[in-house]
Amino acid sequence: MGSRRGTRRRSGGGTKRRSPLWAKIMVGVGTMLMAVSIGAVGYANIMLDKVNDAVNTACLLDDCEAFKPGEEIKGPLNLLMIGSDMRKDWAAAQSDSIMILHINADLTAANIISIPRDLYVDIPDCGEGWGNNPCTEKINTAFSAGGLDMAKSVKNLATTLTDLTGLEKFDGVAMVNFGGFKDLVELFGGVELCVPFAMDLEHPKDANGNRPHVKKGCREYEPDLALGIVRERYAYDPSNPDWKEEYGIGDYGRQRMQQHFIKQLMKRAKQEGYMTDPFKVTELIEAIGDQLLLDLKGRAVTDFAYAMRNMDASAMTTLKVPSEPAMIGETSYVVMQPGEQEDTAQELFKALTEDSLDQWALSNPKWVNKTG
């Protein structure tokens, strides 16, 4: 990495108790709050307080108090979503998954752009190892450069992405602890996951260091093994005879499984009544609240959820940045290759800024994630 120090290649452009999963839960909560408020205003107020108090909030971006609770929320909106598998506290977070959640102008539809964490991009501050200078590196470096300063990490990643895509700014940040979703799987008594091919997982290893083996197909999984499947990325390798291009390579494969995991969790939540029963919604929010860290720039969590009440969470489309794995020196990256691929990526970023991602997705089905 040090061989590229200082180089740049323009590629386009107080906490209170507090991924796609966050977005879908907020949609469900917003719909529920609307129904409850019609029937019981007093209970609705209790629900509002419980939801707001259950979720961690922090100032992670500039203008973190740009809005006041109750102020009208207008679209389009772009939220930076950061997924992590940390275990102890937010200060130890790493950006294992990076996504941009785009909500359209009338707040009725959303698209999610998955950003490969190994994407080769220009970064304004690459940390002390680079003398806090700009560099061209894996986008995950933008987050890790902040060290234990969470706000610095988030701002550096946000700036890297606005430079890359042409977005003027992000309208908020949602950090999601994937590791903490074990609690949610336990709440539901397990989760069904469909594994595309047999694989040996990196986690969780037993006392002798043996890796767990999972078979191809759809099965019910307990929390530890489910999380191991969601974290796995090394199994998605073309050298595996059972691998197919549609499964994705490395991080692409993991992103696809994370999206499948989210859909399966929401399917189970709906089946068990957690998205419609006010009492169970409260239980769900309290279970997941500690696994979320939000900066909505002063907006209340429930205001944001209510604004998205007309959105169909199941219809969210996840898009991939046109790119592919490539070696630069002896390091593996994900690169937007010059020519058609980079042109298509620039069209994606333009569609993001112009609120026309639906049209881009129809014209570029190759870069639309298909999950079960």
Side-chain angles (χ1 to χ4, degrees):
M1 291 185 176
S3 62
R4 285 177 296 283
R5 182 174 299 178
T7 63
R8 282 181 68 83
R9 175 184 63 84
R10 298 309 306 172
S11 53
T15 304
K16 75 170 184 176
R17 175 164 166 72
R18 31 192 227 291
S19 85
L21 180 58
W22 172 83
K24 293 186 178 185
I25 288 176
M26 288 300 101
V27 172
V29 172
T31 303
M32 180 278 301
L33 287 172
M34 178 177 64
V36 171
S37 64
I38 292 173
V41 175
Y43 185 73
N45 287 333
I46 294 174
M47 288 293 298
L48 290 169
D49 290 340
K50 284 195 172 185
V51 171
N52 283 325
D53 290 343
V55 180
N56 287 314
T57 60
C59 181
L60 301 173
L61 294 174
D62 294 326
D63 300 323
C64 54
E65 295 183 358
F67 298 88
K68 296 179 180 180
E71 187 171 339
E72 183 182 3
I73 296 174
K74 300 179 180 180
L77 299 170
N78 293 288
L79 278 76
L80 172 58
M81 304 185 71
I82 304 168
S84 173
D85 67 350
M86 69 217 175
R87 295 295 182 272
K88 294 183 179 181
D89 57 52
W90 291 103
Q94 294 295 318
S95 56
D96 293 308
S97 297
I98 303 169
M99 302 180 187
I100 298 173
L101 172 65
H102 175 82
I103 303 169
N104 67 353
D106 57 6
L107 307 179
T108 59
N111 291 279
I112 298 169
I113 301 176
S114 288
I115 309 293
R117 70 175 193 172
D118 290 345
L119 188 65
Y120 191 60
V121 297
D122 294 329
I123 300 172
D125 179 355
C126 290
E128 294 182 0
W130 297 78
N132 295 111
N133 291 315
C135 70
T136 306
E137 254 303 334
K138 296 181 179 182
I139 195 168
N140 201 40
T141 302
F143 189 89
S144 60
L148 298 181
D149 187 335
M150 179 65 68
K152 182 178 179 181
S153 295
V154 171
K155 288 177 184 177
N156 198 40
L157 178 58
T159 300
T160 300
L161 284 168
T162 53
D163 287 349
L164 176 69
T165 64
L167 280 177
E168 181 181 350
K169 61 180 177 59
F170 282 101
D171 299 292
V173 179
M175 294 195 63
V176 183
N177 176 9
F178 278 108
F181 285 135
K182 284 176 56 178
D183 296 339
L184 202 55
V185 178
E186 288 173 355
L187 178 65
F188 295 157
V191 63
E192 183 183 57
L193 296 177
C194 297
V195 179
F197 54 91
M199 59 180 70
D200 294 317
L201 307 176
E202 287 295 311
H203 304 283
K205 295 176 182 177
D206 64 21
N208 297 318
N210 297 315
R211 299 162 60 186
H213 178 81
V214 294
K215 297 180 180 180
K216 176 182 178 179
C218 301
R219 292 176 179 79
E220 189 87 0
Y221 289 98
E222 48 82 24
D224 283 330
L225 202 52
L227 184 60
I229 294 170
V230 172
R231 295 177 64 192
E232 182 60 41
R233 66 180 178 127
Y234 297 108
Y236 298 93
D237 191 317
S239 63
N240 187 324
D242 296 321
W243 177 87
K244 295 181 181 179
E245 185 176 1
E246 65 188 77
Y247 301 151
I249 300 175
D251 275 332
Y252 288 109
R254 177 162 68 173
Q255 288 174 4
R256 184 177 183 274
M257 179 54 69
Q258 287 176 347
Q259 292 148 17
H260 171 63
F261 173 65
I262 288 165
K263 287 187 175 182
Q264 292 299 93
L265 281 179
M266 301 320 299
K267 179 181 178 181
R268 177 62 61 87
K270 185 176 181 180
Q271 289 172 344
E272 299 292 331
Y274 282 96
M275 302 306 288
T276 54
D277 183 329
F279 294 99
K280 285 196 169 185
V281 170
T282 303
E283 186 180 6
L284 175 63
I285 291 297
E286 290 177 342
I288 200 65
D290 276 345
Q291 314 309 329
L292 299 173
L293 181 63
L294 304 181
D295 179 359
L296 300 178
K297 295 194 172 184
R299 304 175 178 99
V301 174
T302 47
D303 288 345
F304 211 89
Y306 188 78
M308 294 195 292
R309 66 191 180 279
N310 294 319
M311 189 185 302
D312 181 2
S314 65
M316 287 186 186
T317 301
T318 305
L319 310 174
K320 297 181 287 188
V321 175
S323 55
E324 62 186 66
M327 297 297 296
I328 299 178
E330 298 181 355
T331 304
S332 175
Y333 293 88
V334 172
V335 176
M336 295 178 290
Q337 296 290 3
E340 181 180 355
Q341 194 176 87
E342 188 167 27
D343 290 343
T344 305
Q346 295 305 320
E347 291 170 2
L348 169 64
F349 301 147
K350 182 179 180 182
L352 173 65
T353 61
E354 295 181 351
D355 192 23
S356 58
L357 286 175
D358 285 343
Q359 294 93 315
W360 185 91
L362 289 173
S363 301
N364 297 276
K366 175 181 178 181
W367 301 107
V368 177
N369 262 329
K370 299 176 178 63
T371 58

